[in-house]
Amino acid sequence: MKDASATRNARRPRSGKSRAAVAVVCALAALFFAQSLSASLQKSATFDEPMHITAGLSYLGTGRIVISPDHPPLLKELSAAVLQLARIHWPATPEAAALIDREVRFPQALARSVVVDNGPDRVLFWARLPLIFLNTALVFGVYMLGRRLAGTIAGVAAAFLCAFDPNTVAHSFLVTTDLGVTTLLVLFMVALWDYIDRPGPVHVVGSGVALGAALGAKYSAVILPPIAAFLLLAAVRWPPAGAQSLAKGPASKQKAEPVTVDLLRRYAIAFVAMCVVAFVVLQIIYLFPHDPLQYIAGWRAIYGGPVQGFEGYMAGRLAPRFYSYYIVAFLLKEPIATIALVVIGLWLAIKGANLPPLNRAFLLLPPILIVAGYTVMSFNIGIRYLLPALPFAHVLGGLAIARLVESVRTTARVVAVLACGWVVLAAAGIYPDSLSYFNEAACLFTDPSRLGLDGGSRCGPMWLDDSNVDWGQGLKQLKTWLDRNAPGREVRLGYFGTVPPEAYGLKELPMSDDDILRGTSPGLYAVSAHIVASTPAVAKQMRGGGAEWLRQTRPIAIVGHAYYIFEIPDRQPSR
């Protein structure tokens, strides 16, 4: 333990260095907040947001967790609390009360009306604001995790990669659960590390609260108790100096075996205490339900059995599950510079890189289990499911940057600067359309002419669909483009979303099946990138072919990286 203690003490920053690091991280968090808020103001409602917003209002308005039980209520309640301050409430109508009494799980019509009747921009501004603040804390959480596991420079570099990651920025303001649970997961990992490093009741309670909050954000957080158990066992095998000295007590010459047994007993009691605290937190989040195990019932409803009929899309193919989906999504939707840094950091971590074994366990075990769990259990509908693993990738990338910066070779430092510049350019080149980001590899081997400052985002629909390319967020940008380039014209709209386009002032004619399959009706088309992506594959599987024109026809514009604009001429011969 002498080596581990020396390593930790060597990495303990001086006060001046620490203050400078905190100042840089605060600046990064401010930039992240600015990106998130600005993008939020430019984006329309995504597919899931109206239901989450309405569900949260129903929870606080009725005290019952009925609507949208596919996710725990915490993040929806945070959003609804701010909406109520803005005088936007659950409708006090007999129809709304009847939905609760009948336990209607997904009242789509009511969800649309709540957003539309109160004004989409007004509702989304207030609903998204608490999520923006919460997810800005992710930058601080990644720094704290990186600093504890790999040193101050690595922590700052990890916060940098997080603050300019297109995927974290894209989901930072949405009233959904993916980045919120990521933030709370990272805070739990920090709290758990602090308990192991400095055991005490305060850190036990803090870990339990963070665990309960993460569990209350999304059901996939149920993987955290097993992760915590594994890491506590790893801490028994490789205890920090502080934990070992506490276990030894005044008898410093005890044998190793009694120390191990004592640590095991202490950690077992602490783990149970964390789970008890988390259970109490869940009861508060669920508004003290009649069934104290309502959380477990909700989890079983989502993960209790296979879903029949679902097929995901990847690279022109449909399948119930692609076991390589999240690896492919990561390799295509993260900046290439970030991927390279993560690979270097992974090699350094495996090689050793002066990291104690417990640090490596904290850094590598959670993302492995998270990716494996999502690969086996989740739908293949977006990299957003992979978000809880990205902070660990950022820390690995931060470790690589730290080693490059600390190198005596000028070439290594230049590489670090160029990599960081590439990350910033990737974020700036796609902004504010971060949801649709794909790196240069998406176009490099298929259509290099479409590469640009936005990387390979214009080739994204060739690879993935759904929330990877368009989730309904581009209606405001489409309205602006039509007003400038086609004023007064009616557009045939292929829309993937839940809020009526009319709510944003769009005069649209829904595309018919024949329009989607053949595109023969003359006029102006605005087709969702999601439809461009997967519809040809769906048509081929169900009808033997169709919708090829979506890929073969060059769009006259791509608006917000979400809508492909086609001008179909009148093909009737003139007299």
Side-chain angles (χ1 to χ4, degrees), residues 223-281:
I223 199 172
L224 287 181
I227 288 176
F230 279 121
L231 292 176
L232 288 169
L233 288 175
V236 173
R237 174 65 179 84
W238 303 294
Q244 188 183 36
S245 61
L246 180 64
K248 286 182 177 182
S252 59
K253 295 183 179 181
Q254 294 184 39
K255 296 181 180 180
E257 183 176 354
V259 171
T260 300
V261 172
D262 187 56
L263 281 178
L264 184 61
R265 177 180 59 82
R266 287 175 179 270
Y267 288 162
I269 295 173
F271 177 74
V272 173
M274 291 176 194
C275 292
V276 170
V277 172
F279 179 80
V280 174
V281 171

Side-chain angles (χ1 to χ4, degrees), residues 363-376:
L363 188 53
L364 300 179
L365 180 64
I368 290 173
L369 294 181
I370 290 169
V371 173
Y374 273 118
T375 297
V376 174

Side-chain angles (χ1 to χ4, degrees), residues 135-205:
N135 293 324
T136 298
L138 178 62
V139 178
F140 293 103
V142 169
Y143 162 69
M144 290 188 290
L145 185 64
R147 178 176 174 270
R148 284 158 172 76
L149 299 184
T152 300
I153 296 177
V156 174
F160 166 82
L161 294 177
C162 175
F164 291 101
D165 189 315
N167 294 296
T168 56
V169 172
H171 293 271
S172 61
F173 57 86
L174 301 181
V175 187
T176 54
T177 59
D178 301 291
L179 199 65
V181 73
T182 302
T183 300
L184 296 171
L185 180 152
V186 170
L187 295 179
F188 169 68
M189 296 302 298
V190 172
L192 182 64
W193 173 271
D194 286 347
Y195 165 73
I196 293 174
D197 192 44
R198 300 184 300 277
V202 173
H203 289 139
V204 170
V205 174

Side-chain angles (χ1 to χ4, degrees), residues 299-482:
W299 184 89
R300 287 176 176 172
I302 302 301
Y303 295 104
V307 177
Q308 303 296 330
F310 172 82
E311 289 194 309
Y313 168 81
M314 187 172 74
R317 295 175 52 237
L318 298 172
R321 188 177 304 280
F322 295 99
Y323 288 101
S324 61
Y325 184 87
Y326 293 107
I327 301 300
V328 171
F330 176 79
L331 294 176
L332 288 174
K333 286 188 65 64
E334 280 290 303
I336 289 179
T338 300
I339 295 171
L341 291 169
V342 171
V343 171
I344 296 172
L346 180 61
W347 178 76
L348 289 171
I350 294 175
K351 183 181 177 182
N354 295 325
L355 294 181
L358 183 61
N359 298 50
R360 292 203 296 271
F362 262 81
L363 188 53
L364 300 179
L365 180 64
I368 290 173
L369 294 181
I370 290 169
V371 173
Y374 273 118
T375 297
V376 174
M377 300 290 291
S378 71
F379 298 131
N380 295 156
I381 57 176
I383 195 175
R384 61 190 179 93
Y385 283 171
L386 195 62
L387 290 178
L390 289 187
F392 301 93
H394 295 147
V395 175
L396 287 171
L399 175 62
I401 292 175
R403 294 299 179 269
L404 290 171
V405 170
E406 293 169 346
S407 174
V408 296
R409 297 180 179 179
T410 304
T411 304
R413 297 181 180 183
V414 170
V415 169
V417 172
L418 292 176
C420 292
W422 191 333
V423 170
V424 173
L425 286 176
I430 190 63
Y431 188 82
D433 307 327
S434 307
L435 191 83
S436 306
Y437 177 77
F438 281 74
N439 64 40
E440 291 77 2
C443 288
L444 191 61
F445 302 108
T446 56
D447 193 354
S449 64
R450 306 184 76 181
L451 289 170
L453 292 177
D454 56 355
S457 300
R458 293 172 181 266
C459 299
M462 300 294 293
W463 295 95
L464 303 170
D465 69 345
D466 208 277
S467 59
N468 293 300
V469 291
D470 174 38
W471 212 14
Q473 76 280 1
L475 288 180
K476 294 176 73 172
Q477 292 166 295
L478 179 60
K479 176 66 165 58
T480 300
W481 187 91
L482 290 172

